[in-house]
Amino acid sequence: MRREDIQKISRDLAEGRFPAAQKRASNLAKRAPKDAALQNLAGAAFAQAGKHREAIPYFQAAARIDAHNQEFLCNFILALTMSGETAVAERVVSKSLTAMPGLARLHYLHAQILHDKHDMRGAVNAANRALELEPGMVEALNVRGLAKSNRRQTAEALADFQAILHTHPNDLIAHQNCAERLNELGRTKEALTHYNFMLRMVPNHPYALSKVASLADQGVLNDVVTRATQAIAQKPKKSEETVLLHLAAGTALMRLGKSQEAMQHYDLLHELDAKERRYSSKRHWGEFARIRSLFPAAPDTNVDTSAGPSPIFVVGLPRSGTTLVEQILSMAPGVHPCGELVTAERLFRELFEGDGPIDPSLVADFVATYREHLPDLPANTDKFIDKMPANFRYVGLLLTAFPTGVVIDVERDPRDVALSMWTTRFSASGMNYASAIPAIADQANLYRSYMAHWTAIFPTRILTVSYEDLVSNVEDETQRMAAFCGIDWTSEMQSPERNTNPVATASVNQVRTRIHQRSVGRWKLLGANLDLLISRLDPELWPDVDLDASTGSADAAGPSR
């Protein structure tokens, strides 16, 4: 009976009947609480369905009953990791590594945990150990590649993903990771070869199709639209694949100049996304009130935190031109771009949970940990750039912690920002607001409120740069930014498209083209959504924007930056 039940469970799992498999497996496990294999099978029934938290007690029981079984132990740790129980998983891994230091998979799991904790240097080291013990281990190469990507070691990350393809040439995840790294390096044609391979392996692969829509030559765009729309008709309306197919169709149509048809797909994309991606205006404004109370004025911490290269923090709303500014500034000698670092937000939430006042020792801890998690800086670095747009929330802390640091605030017409967000798809949970026009307006108001507070406190350490002024008067604006940041202006700063640094943001392809003004004033493409946006923007916060402008449409649209 036991063998027959196990065979039925295996068939259910193989054919995707997860509820049936879970019911059979949990009943078996309950009848045989000391059978490690059955406990592990029950855990697998839940884990394969994505119910990792429910799988934990079964894997834990299996690992406890058979303490020498490496598979059971690793399944337990992986379930903890996938459930977000990172601290518990790390304790189990540390204890297990003491007993089994030569087990490669444990070192890989340690690397995965450290990656999830944003300790990228530690993740690389742990993955290195796993690969020393088991050369070519795909999982270790993958997590090391992802960690190196986060450390801006894009070429080295690419090498790891290419190593996976050397032994597993049909690994679609490795193809995707190779394509993304190649595109970040400006090697678009090579990236396309990987996306096209994915489409050959899985016709109408939604993610690959959405990327081809963005990167391919105009000649293939009509085919992309046809393939995407046909695939949409065959997919469940609420699936992630359907969302990506709408993105593919919308992107291709927009590039073809068929903006009204494109906007229909973008509207459907965000309608589906908004149902799953919740946004709390109350929570965000509550955080603003708390942060403002922590920094009612510039605090005097009397802590020397100036050692090391000085930071330039580039902030603004996403799609406001922050990547363009980073590319311009990093053309100057001695200025190193670090991309969008999550460090400031993470450390703020870890260290400053109370309501103040600001403790100098915590500020010192913040600086030490922040610098520790920076990507490797070249030896000649005088200044580095942290281009996380959402750092507008933490300007008070950043300028307090780094007395030689400065902030460049990139402002752009919120209507154009909204359009650029609407024609983009952000996967990060912190960008949930980008799938609802009222939430985009709310974030725009929040951003302007934060910056009004910070500029009142730090008037000499924040430079406001208008995107519209920058693209219309490149020489003067780049000189103004250079003078403010204390860097030597060079004529190369007027040609950021020549910058060879990797770019890992939604603007990756836009900043590879010469600076232009085609993205200014395209907001009328929002159509009916424009009225909804304008009705939610606070005119007192946006006095320089004509919110009474009428809606309209445009026949064609150029790329946004």
Side-chain angles (χ1 to χ4, degrees):
M1 185 66 176
R2 179 177 182 271
R3 179 181 298 176
E4 182 180 341
D5 283 334
I6 291 174
Q7 290 175 343
K8 288 180 180 178
I9 293 167
S10 299
R11 283 198 301 271
D12 286 338
L13 290 175
E15 296 172 10
R17 294 189 296 270
F18 297 120
Q22 291 158 16
K23 184 176 181 179
R24 290 183 191 276
S26 57
N27 285 336
L28 269 183
K30 187 181 294 184
R31 293 201 300 268
K34 295 184 179 181
D35 189 320
L38 285 180
Q39 300 299 321
N40 185 70
L41 179 62
F46 286 95
Q48 287 189 36
K51 296 182 177 181
H52 301 286
R53 189 169 295 280
E54 290 89 334
I56 289 174
Y58 295 106
F59 287 140
Q60 184 177 22
R64 184 180 64 250
I65 296 165
D66 188 351
H68 298 290
N69 190 301
Q70 298 173 359
E71 177 189 351
F72 298 166
L73 173 63
C74 290
N75 284 344
F76 174 42
I77 295 169
L78 188 58
L80 287 168
T81 304
M82 296 297 291
S83 301
E85 298 289 345
T86 309
V88 179
E90 188 168 22
R91 288 198 296 271
V92 175
V93 165
S94 297
K95 182 179 178 181
S96 301
L97 280 172
T98 301
M100 294 177 283
L103 181 56
R105 189 161 181 81
L106 276 179
H107 289 281
Y108 149 66
L109 290 170
H110 191 206
Q112 186 65 60
I113 291 166
L114 293 171
H115 176 275
D116 293 345
K117 289 179 61 181
H118 305 287
D119 181 358
M120 300 305 164
R121 183 180 284 109
V124 169
N125 291 336
N128 285 341
R129 180 59 179 148
L131 289 164
E132 289 170 4
L133 294 165
E134 188 179 325
M137 183 181 187
V138 169
E139 298 91 338
L141 284 168
N142 186 69
V143 73
R144 188 174 73 176
L146 294 174
K148 287 180 176 178
S149 295
N150 279 295
R151 290 186 58 75
R152 302 277 285 186
Q153 297 172 326
T154 310
E156 293 90 336
L158 175 61
D160 279 339
F161 299 128
Q162 289 173 331
I164 295 174
L165 291 179
H166 183 71
T167 55
H168 296 73
N170 294 334
D171 189 316
L172 293 186
I173 297 299
H175 277 284
Q176 179 177 320
N177 279 320
C178 281
E180 289 174 354
R181 303 296 87 73
L182 287 164
N183 196 38
E184 290 169 10
L185 291 166
R187 296 159 62 179
T188 305
K189 290 184 178 179
E190 293 174 74
L192 275 168
T193 63
H194 289 278
Y195 290 128
N196 285 325
F197 178 88
M198 294 170 68
L199 287 171
R200 288 195 298 273
M201 293 291 291
V202 181
N204 300 333
H205 187 290
Y207 184 83
L209 201 61
S210 72
K211 291 300 182 179
V212 170
S214 176
L215 302 177
D217 294 336
Q218 293 280 120
V220 305
L221 295 182
N222 281 311
D223 180 58
V224 170
V225 173
T226 300
R227 294 172 67 172
T229 51
Q230 288 177 347
I232 287 170
Q234 300 170 2
K235 299 289 183 182
K237 290 184 178 180
K238 295 183 180 180
S239 72
E240 170 74 8
E241 292 183 337
T242 300
V243 169
L244 289 171
L245 290 167
H246 279 300
L247 177 63
T251 301
L253 286 164
M254 190 67 84
R255 291 184 63 204
L256 288 167
K258 300 177 181 180
S259 56
Q260 292 185 350
E261 294 176 57
M263 293 306 293
Q264 293 175 8
H265 284 281
Y266 288 126
D267 289 349
L268 289 168
L269 178 166
H270 292 298
E271 181 183 343
L272 293 173
D273 256 354
K275 293 176 180 178
E276 305 295 329
R277 309 183 72 189
R278 302 301 180 186
Y279 172 76
S280 170
S281 174
K282 181 179 179 181
R283 180 177 69 81
H284 284 285
W285 285 96
E287 182 181 59
F288 171 55
R290 188 175 82 84
I291 291 176
R292 187 172 51 184
S293 70
L294 288 173
F295 296 92
D300 182 9
T301 60
N302 293 317
V303 176
D304 183 9
T305 57
S306 58
S310 298
I312 301 170
F313 299 102
V314 180
V315 303
L317 287 169
R319 310 297 287 159
S320 63
T322 54
T323 300
L324 176 61
V325 168
E326 180 188 42
Q327 290 292 93
I328 289 170
L329 293 175
S330 59
M331 292 292 281
V335 180
H336 186 72
C338 294
E340 297 185 350
L341 302 178
V342 299
T343 316
E345 177 177 4
R346 180 173 61 84
L347 291 179
F348 176 82
R349 299 193 186 286
E350 289 178 6
L351 297 175
F352 300 93
E353 295 180 336
D355 295 326
I358 296 299
D359 186 335
S361 65
L362 290 182
V363 173
D365 290 345
F366 172 85
V367 174
T369 308
Y370 180 96
R371 287 196 182 276
E372 179 185 344
H373 284 84
L374 282 173
D376 294 334
L377 302 178
N380 65 340
T381 302
D382 295 319
K383 299 180 185 295
F384 66 88
I385 304 171
D386 180 343
K387 190 212 77 73
M388 173 56 79
N391 276 346
F392 68 75
R393 294 166 170 80
Y394 313 114
V395 167
L397 172 61
L398 294 170
L399 292 183
T400 299
F402 296 97
T404 61
V406 295
V407 168
I408 292 186
D409 171 29
V410 187
E411 285 192 352
R412 186 182 180 189
D413 188 319
R415 297 166 297 183
D416 277 335
V417 168
L419 173 66
S420 193
M421 287 188 189
W422 205 245
T423 54
T424 307
R425 206 262 178 143
F426 299 94
S427 58
S429 60
M431 291 294 298
N432 280 359
Y433 64 87
S435 281
I437 291 293
I440 292 175
D442 191 66
Q443 277 288 307
N445 291 334
L446 186 70
Y447 150 74
R448 204 68 182 258
S449 298
Y450 268 105
M451 293 315 301
H453 181 65
W454 300 134
T455 52
I457 295 176
F458 302 98
T460 63
R461 299 181 62 191
I462 299 174
L463 178 70
T464 300
V465 173
S466 161
Y467 173 82
E468 291 79 11
D469 290 346
L470 175 59
V471 298
S472 63
N473 193 351
V474 180
E475 183 173 357
D476 286 351
E477 287 300 299
T478 55
Q479 288 180 350
R480 191 167 73 99
M481 286 193 291
F484 176 77
C485 294
I487 60 180
D488 294 330
W489 181 85
T490 66
S491 59
E492 286 79 7
M493 294 173 71
Q494 300 178 83
S495 304
E497 73 278 3
R498 299 177 184 172
N499 196 324
T500 58
N501 287 308
V503 178
T505 71
S507 301
V508 56
N509 300 115
Q510 286 79 45
V511 295
R512 302 295 186 192
T513 62
R514 288 180 61 85
I515 294 177
H516 57 77
Q517 300 181 52
R518 296 191 300 273
S519 298
V520 176
R522 296 173 63 244
W523 44 263
K524 289 185 179 181
L525 293 176
L526 280 169
N529 282 321
L530 183 60
D531 289 335
L532 181 58
L533 176 77
I534 289 174
S535 70
R536 301 299 182 97
L537 289 172
D538 187 339
E540 293 186 4
L541 293 171
W542 300 98
D544 48 341
V545 178
D546 182 9
L547 297 181
D548 294 325
S550 60
T551 61
S553 64
D555 295 328
S560 60
R561 296 175 70 90

